Structures are given as C-alpha cells and as structure tokens.
Amino acid sequence: MSKHTVTFDPDAGVAYGANLNINAGSTFNGDFTVVKPSGTAFSFDGWTGSSQMVKSVSVGSTTVAAGTFTVGFTSAVDGKFRISMGSTATSTLAPGRYVYDVLVGSGISIYRIVEGNVLVQGGISSAP
C-alpha cells in the first residue's frame, strides 16, 4: 500500500505528482491525505472522484487504455481518499510504465488532483 500526503490549492490548478508501483496479480491500494496550503484538511464532503491509467506510450495517435482505479473517499471531511485496483484487474496488466491521474469534483468544479507514473511489475520467479 502506498501513502501520500498531498498539498492542494484549487486556485493554482496544479496536480500533485505521485509515482506508484503495482505488482501484477496483486490488489493495489493507494491512500492519499489532502491538505490545503495552510495545512488544514481539504474537505471532499459531497465530492466525487474518478481515475484512469493508460500505457505511457501511444500506438500511432491512439492512447492504449490500461485500467481504471476505483476512487473512494475514506474520510471525505478529513481530505482522505483511496484509489484501488483488484487482483483480477492487475493480473491483466502487462509489465511496464503507465501514467495515471485522479480527478475530483463538486458541481461544475473538476480538478486533476494527483497524477504520475505507474510501474507495473510482473513476477520474475516461479514456484519450484
């Protein structure tokens, strides 16, 4: 499980960069705590979230979709959310480098709050 503390200023409009590692075939969880520049919790009460992951290289002019993280607010008023992907979904990912982002929104306001690289690692050993 990865844990990140994110300082987010909606007026700046800049996503926080956080790189992730996923072992193919395992359940992935990434926990984020979001604070304002003042250090107080950023409240997501009443907000929604979504996230996508794509292969970091394009084939022609088409981006290769890889998967979707589930975004859940574990404590919306405390600025906490989790992105996750189950073992069935991660087992279909080819090892390599991907990119992802997380969007959050309330009403007409939508922000790219986190983005970065994802390194998917396949197994290198097998049972004897």
Side-chain angles (χ1 to χ4, degrees), residues 8-115:
F8 181 66
D9 180 1
D11 294 330
V14 178
Y16 179 84
N19 296 328
L20 308 172
N21 290 306
I22 295 176
N23 292 314
S26 67
T27 298
F28 171 81
N29 291 309
D31 289 332
F32 294 84
T33 300
V34 183
V35 297
K36 298 175 186 176
S38 65
T40 60
F42 190 97
S43 177
F44 291 110
D45 195 26
W47 290 49
T48 60
S50 66
S51 180
Q52 290 289 316
M53 185 172 82
V54 297
K55 196 75 167 148
S56 62
V57 293
S58 296
V59 176
S61 62
T62 305
T63 302
V64 179
T68 302
F69 289 108
T70 299
V71 178
F73 295 100
T74 55
S75 180
V77 295
D78 294 324
K80 296 181 181 204
F81 69 91
R82 172 178 283 171
I83 62 172
S84 59
M85 187 178 290
S87 60
T88 302
T90 65
S91 67
T92 66
L93 298 174
R97 191 171 72 97
Y98 297 76
V99 294
Y100 80 102
D101 64 7
V102 177
L103 301 177
V104 294
S106 175
I108 61 170
S109 299
I110 299 173
Y111 303 100
R112 178 174 286 112
I113 197 162
V114 178
E115 64 185 4

